Amino acid sequence: MMTILPKFMAATVVLVSVLSVTGVAQAENKPVAITKGLSAVTIAHEGAAVELMRVQDNANTITQDFALTSRPCPPFCIQPMVFAPGVETLGELEVIDHLVRMQSGEDILVIDSRTPNWVEKGTIPGAVNISWVSLTPAKGATTEGIMDIMLNQMGVTLIGDADEFEVDEAIVNGSVADVFNYSQAKTLVLFCNGMWCGQSPASMASLLRFGYPADKIKWFRGGMQTWQILGLTTVN
């Protein structure tokens, strides 16, 4: 014999059933891959192997540092999708691809352009910190200091024995090709806090001014904002 429930009781039973199914789905904590065919990659960071993957907790949420939606502009204004002609804008999968290729020996350098206090909160595995302050004359960076970074970390070489004074003159005259050899320069992937952050754009502007080839500069516009939204691995 079928039991007929009052309407309000029937609705309650349906709601409880839905909540039960939802609870089971959450309890299962289903795997979170990077793509359908890629679960994780191993990246070396400061001499240690790091498994780059997504957080496996289906209930994980973004950290408070990246939860703000309305930072004051200026200085935290929305950046354009294309920074400069020839500079490619990358997404997360392209950044991971560059990290893997860097591991395989390609001349690639992934750069966290943020100040050290931000880097200490977490960065992308495999990235090196070259703060925008050290590349931006308006923040006190010197030509000598910028040259040191380019020559010792980015694979740039000098033509002849040009010093900082000759480089300054070449920048003014638009003849940086006469003082720098970029044939062996590394492909750079720069990022900072996100699409509202001006730190990596400042670094790129300075590098372009020094003649760094635009096609050897890549920009991860989403930065740590979208990296963390996707639950991708960070290291301290």
Side-chain angles (χ1 to χ4, degrees):
M1 180 177 177
M2 182 180 298
T3 301
I4 305 300
L5 295 174
K7 287 185 177 180
F8 78 91
M9 290 185 65
T12 301
V13 171
V14 171
L15 177 60
V16 171
S17 299
V18 171
L19 290 175
S20 297
V21 172
T22 302
V24 170
Q26 289 179 344
E28 288 177 357
N29 209 36
K30 296 181 178 179
V32 185
I34 296 173
T35 67
K36 285 184 178 180
L38 180 66
S39 295
V41 295
T42 301
I43 301 295
H45 185 81
E46 296 183 353
V50 176
E51 198 81 351
L52 197 167
M53 59 193 299
R54 295 175 69 188
V55 174
Q56 294 301 299
D57 178 4
N58 293 159
N60 185 62
T61 58
I62 197 165
T63 61
Q64 188 60 38
D65 284 330
F66 296 98
L68 294 175
T69 63
S70 303
R71 290 175 171 84
C73 167
F76 304 111
C77 300
I78 298 173
Q79 298 293 331
M81 185 58 69
V82 178
F83 175 73
V87 175
E88 183 182 6
T89 303
L90 304 182
E92 295 74 26
L93 293 181
E94 291 77 22
V95 172
I96 293 171
D97 176 63
H98 277 78
L99 288 168
V100 171
R101 288 161 51 196
M102 181 176 69
Q103 296 292 294
S104 69
E106 286 193 38
D107 285 333
I108 296 171
L109 186 64
V110 180
I111 299 173
D112 188 333
S113 298
R114 299 176 299 163
T115 50
N117 61 311
W118 273 103
V119 178
E120 289 170 3
K121 297 180 181 183
T123 189
I124 294 174
V128 299
N129 182 214
I130 301 177
S131 171
W132 71 292
V133 174
S134 64
L135 289 173
T136 308
K139 300 299 291 185
T142 63
T143 298
E144 183 179 13
I146 295 172
M147 289 172 61
D148 182 67
I149 292 170
M150 295 198 317
L151 298 177
N152 293 307
Q153 293 184 258
M154 298 178 179
V156 181
T157 56
L158 285 173
I159 295 175
D161 56 354
D163 58 22
E164 63 267 29
F165 302 107
E166 292 173 274
V167 169
D168 281 335
E169 185 176 1
I171 291 172
V172 172
N173 295 332
S175 57
V176 284
D178 294 337
V179 291
F180 288 121
N181 179 0
Y182 286 102
S183 62
Q184 302 301 314
K186 296 180 179 180
T187 295
L188 309 179
V189 178
L190 295 95
F191 69 92
C192 51
N193 274 325
M195 64 292 289
W196 45 268
C197 179
Q199 296 180 14
S200 52
S203 291
M204 292 188 294
S206 184
L207 289 168
L208 289 170
R209 184 167 170 265
F210 272 71
Y212 214 99
D215 63 350
K216 289 192 175 187
I217 298 176
K218 314 295 180 182
W219 182 34
F220 177 28
R221 177 180 179 268
M224 294 307 297
Q225 179 86 51
T226 57
W227 194 262
Q228 290 210 7
I229 283 175
L230 292 173
L232 288 160
T233 301
T234 62
V235 289
N236 298 100

